[in-house]
Amino acid sequence: MKLHIREILRRKHSRILIGFAATGLVAGGLLSWSENPGEAGWVWSAATVPVLLALFVQIAVSLRRGDIGLDIVAALSMSAALAFGEPLAANVVAMMYAGGQLLEDFAQGRAKKEMTALMGRVAQTAMRYNGDVLQQVPIADIKAGDRLLIRQGDVLPVDGRVATDVAVLDLSALTGESLPQNIMKGGEALSGAASAGAAFELVAIRPAAESTYAGIVRLVEAAQSSKAPMVRMADRYAIGFLALTVTIAAVTWLVTQDTIRVLSVLVVATPCPLILAVPVALISGMSRTARMGVLVKGGGVLEALSQVQTVILDKTGTVTHGQATITEIRTRAGFAEADILKAAASLDQASGHVVATALIKAAQSKGLALSAPVQVVETPGTGIEGIVDGRKVAVGGNSFVAERSGNVRADDLLQDIDPAAMTVAVGIDGNVAGIIVLQDQVRLDAKPMLDALRRAGVKRLVLASGDRSDIAEKVGKQLGFDLVLGDLSPDAKVAAVRSEVANGPVMMVGDGVNDAPALAAADVGVAMGAHGTASSSEAAGIVLLVDELAPLVRAMAVARRSRMIAAQSVVAGLGLSVAAMGFASLGFLPPVQGALTQEAIDVAVILNALRALR
């Protein structure tokens, strides 16, 4: 919140400065036209002073950080203009400088926000047992040994052990695993996971501040704080341009002893092409990427995107859809696929399990009319049984359905099933009717996107997943990654990002809470915002607003073009400024005309920078 307030104050500060400069320029002009040149000079001087004072403060802050910026040239030109009796030239320079500051502040203000969304996911209260009575308490009051009730859909507030028979948990935000997991009695359940099944009891094993989810939040904050602030491209040329300006001014004084010529050199040297053109080009590029559904949070992020050499991608929800879908239905004689799916989906309408949701969606997509189930009995984490259209239906694990089918198992139907897949057995009227195979599918656009990244200049592709190593290896081999890493914890993903820095700027793409620290640690973090978690969107510098990967490749092309145009603008602007300094040193450009010439250079450079919008 403090960072956000600081950005707001900075923008207001820039608006105030440009207001002073513009008001003084207009008021002084009116006085000059009304034949009050002396009063006009005082007005122009008064309008310049606030901008100059603010500039001195900024220079002092930069020097304390060890940065020598081009702001020094602007300060020299304004100071010299006031000292040599050229207030109009000073006011024109102040106007140009204040306008550049406003544009730059706008570009930096698009940078990523604080981790408010990540903190927002942390549960604020929990249902705690006090004897046999439930009480809602703040999570800060929870201690090790407290017994909690976790309802369906609740996010676990603390790490704990399951105290009832089974807990069905959605761990995708923590581990990247798309399929729900059954945690049996006595098993450990991690904070940040969501309850995907019936309510269960949890015994806290550590307070919230020491739990897994709080650790992830701290990882993100540490990764963000370790990154250097955005450095203006213009400042990379600061020392050389400053030295050149002082040299030309000094030579002009030694040769001519003419203070007006020296002033003209300093005025023409005002580095507004650098201050203005770079943010305009980057903002233009950000506008273009936004129209593609790619939100880039700052000019520094766009510049970093243009230089990426290594791309690290999470598996679940990034190169895969992150949701289990039916890949196959295997049937026994006498049963049709549609009949099995309809019976299972009809019964699962009474279940809150995430796999039940996948079956229902699949049946509806095939146009199957579902019937209302009756006499439903669900055994959490194991299966569900009931009556559908007068027939006994059981849906669940192989053992669950076998117990209701004369202990006849479906082992023959399970042969050659991909170990990464999940299977659901279906029993009808005491017989095993078949099995339904579900799997998290690789995105159709994943391979073309990876190929396009290589064509765009990316030298190394890494798959980093919290899922099992064998599953990650299979996906990585299918898509042609250079390196595949599985079974990664959030801090291991951060380590993977940092280990790749030696190969060049790193981009990390992910969608879950477990990806947030790595997104913050990477040079460029990209979050799948359409279906990803809010925390990963806040940690990332780029958010994909559409559930596609292809726009990311196009955004990289836009970023590289925008950076190229910004660099062109810098070189052209500096070249024209140096030429103008030469004319000024020869006496062909008086101070005011020199300031106006520099303004013309600014306009030309900005128009060039706006090409990034096309």
Side-chain angles (χ1 to χ4, degrees):
M1 183 60 70
K2 289 181 180 178
L3 178 62
H4 182 54
I5 292 173
R6 195 180 304 128
E7 290 291 338
I8 293 174
L9 292 176
R10 241 177 52 169
R11 291 189 191 186
K12 287 184 178 179
H13 178 257
S14 298
R15 292 190 183 101
I16 291 172
L17 291 182
I18 199 171
F20 270 118
T23 302
L25 200 59
V26 172
L30 293 175
L31 288 172
S32 179
W33 291 333
S34 62
E35 299 182 355
N36 290 296
E39 294 180 10
W42 281 108
V43 171
W44 287 325
S45 297
T48 302
V49 168
V51 179
L52 186 57
L53 291 176
L55 185 53
F56 281 141
V57 172
Q58 185 167 319
I59 290 171
V61 172
S62 297
L63 289 176
R64 278 202 301 269
R65 292 198 306 259
D67 297 333
I68 300 177
L70 289 169
D71 298 330
I72 294 176
V73 180
L76 281 174
S77 62
M78 277 187 266
S79 300
L82 292 177
F84 299 154
E86 294 287 341
L88 175 57
N91 199 168
V92 172
V93 174
M95 178 70 180
M96 291 188 294
Y97 179 81
Q101 286 287 295
L102 188 62
L103 278 173
E104 185 180 30
D105 287 344
F106 176 76
Q108 292 180 349
R110 292 285 299 273
K112 60 183 175 244
K113 300 177 182 178
E114 292 179 281
M115 294 299 297
T116 52
L118 179 57
M119 295 303 296
R121 179 178 165 88
V122 179
Q124 301 301 312
T125 61
M127 300 300 294
R128 183 176 66 183
Y129 282 99
N130 183 8
D132 293 329
V133 178
L134 278 171
Q135 294 178 330
Q136 189 173 42
V137 298
I139 63 168
D141 293 346
I142 298 175
K143 303 181 294 295
D146 285 351
R147 190 163 56 103
L148 310 176
L149 176 67
I150 308 297
R151 299 161 295 188
Q152 184 171 4
D154 283 352
V155 175
L156 275 62
V158 296
D159 297 343
R161 296 195 183 281
V162 176
T164 45
D165 290 339
V166 66
V168 183
L169 298 181
D170 177 4
L171 303 176
S172 59
L174 292 175
T175 67
E177 172 58 60
S178 59
L179 298 176
Q181 301 294 303
N182 295 334
I183 309 297
M184 307 309 293
K185 185 174 182 178
E188 184 173 346
L190 302 179
S191 59
S195 174
F200 66 95
E201 293 182 12
L202 183 77
V203 177
I205 58 177
R206 57 183 66 93
E210 300 174 11
S211 292
T212 301
Y213 197 79
I216 291 177
V217 174
R218 288 192 293 272
L219 277 172
V220 173
E221 291 173 342
Q224 286 187 318
S225 64
S226 67
K227 298 178 76 170
M230 185 178 84
V231 179
R232 289 186 314 196
M233 181 187 295
D235 285 343
R236 298 172 192 172
Y237 304 91
I239 296 177
F241 188 77
L242 177 60
L244 179 63
T245 300
V246 172
T247 299
I248 294 176
V251 170
T252 300
W253 169 253
L254 291 174
V255 173
T256 67
Q257 301 290 305
D258 188 343
T259 57
I260 298 302
R261 289 194 187 187
V262 173
L263 173 60
S264 297
V265 170
L266 293 176
V267 168
V268 171
T270 301
C272 288
L274 300 178
I275 297 171
L276 291 173
V278 174
V280 167
L282 297 182
I283 291 169
S284 299
M286 289 157 57
S287 299
R288 279 206 65 199
T289 60
R291 290 198 296 269
M292 299 173 180
V294 181
L295 175 61
V296 180
K297 295 185 181 179
V301 178
L302 190 78
E303 185 181 354
L305 178 63
S306 70
Q307 303 174 75
V308 166
Q309 297 295 307
T310 300
V311 177
I312 302 176
L313 295 104
D314 175 50
K315 182 184 75 68
T316 305
T318 304
V319 298
T320 67
H321 290 284
Q323 298 176 342
T325 56
I326 295 176
T327 58
E328 185 181 5
I329 298 178
R330 298 185 177 186
T331 66
R332 285 267 174 84
F335 295 96
E337 290 185 9
D339 294 337
I340 292 174
L341 179 57
K342 177 181 177 181
S346 295
L347 180 60
D348 269 340
Q349 291 177 105
S351 174
H353 199 286
V354 291
V355 172
T357 302
L359 296 184
I360 294 168
K361 286 183 178 179
Q364 291 173 339
S365 68
K366 294 180 180 297
L368 300 178
L370 302 184
S371 303
V374 296
Q375 300 179 28
V376 177
V377 177
E378 183 170 9
T379 305
T382 306
I384 186 171
E385 56 187 315
I387 306 296
V388 176
D389 293 333
R391 308 179 75 179
K392 292 182 180 181
V393 178
V395 179
N398 191 10
S399 298
F400 176 84
V401 174
E403 289 175 3
R404 289 149 183 81
S405 306
N407 290 318
V408 177
R409 298 174 59 86
D411 293 344
D412 58 313
L413 298 176
L414 297 175
Q415 294 181 5
D416 302 322
I417 295 283
D418 188 335
M422 180 181 187
T423 58
V424 175
V426 181
I428 299 178
D429 288 335
N431 298 298
V432 177
I435 62 167
I436 300 174
V437 183
L438 300 100
Q439 197 166 12
D440 188 10
Q441 296 290 295
V442 173
R443 292 174 180 270
L444 293 177
D445 64 341
K447 187 65 167 68
M449 187 273 293
L450 296 179
D451 293 341
L453 285 174
R454 291 194 189 276
R455 290 195 298 271
V458 172
K459 297 178 180 177
R460 187 168 167 82
L461 295 173
V462 179
L463 182 66
S465 176
D467 212 341
R468 299 200 321 260
S469 293
D470 57 337
I471 297 176
E473 285 286 352
K474 179 182 177 182
V475 173
K477 183 177 180 180
Q478 178 183 346
L479 296 177
F481 280 91
D482 298 305
L483 176 66
V484 179
L485 303 171
D487 289 313
L488 297 182
S489 61
D491 53 346
K493 285 193 176 184
V494 173
V497 168
R498 289 173 176 162
S499 69
E500 291 293 332
V501 171
N503 299 317
V506 176
M507 178 167 72
M508 170 72 192
V509 187
D511 77 325
V513 174
N514 62 312
D515 300 318
L519 294 176
D523 297 288
V524 180
V526 182
M528 303 292 292
H531 294 296
T533 62
S535 58
S536 61
S537 297
E538 290 296 339
I542 297 175
V543 179
L544 294 180
L545 303 178
V546 292
D547 191 29
E548 300 175 17
L549 295 171
L552 180 59
V553 181
R554 296 196 293 271
M556 287 185 67
V558 170
R560 290 179 177 178
R561 183 171 183 268
S562 298
R563 185 171 180 271
M564 179 190 69
I565 289 174
Q568 287 175 349
S569 300
V570 167
V571 173
L574 290 181
L576 291 172
S577 292
V578 170
M581 281 192 282
F583 281 104
S585 67
L586 296 174
F588 296 127
L589 281 177
V592 173
Q593 285 84 345
L596 294 175
T597 299
Q598 184 61 53
E599 189 68 25
I601 295 173
D602 294 345
V603 172
V605 169
I606 290 172
L607 289 176
N608 181 67
L610 286 173
R611 289 193 300 118
L613 279 172
R614 299 198 301 271

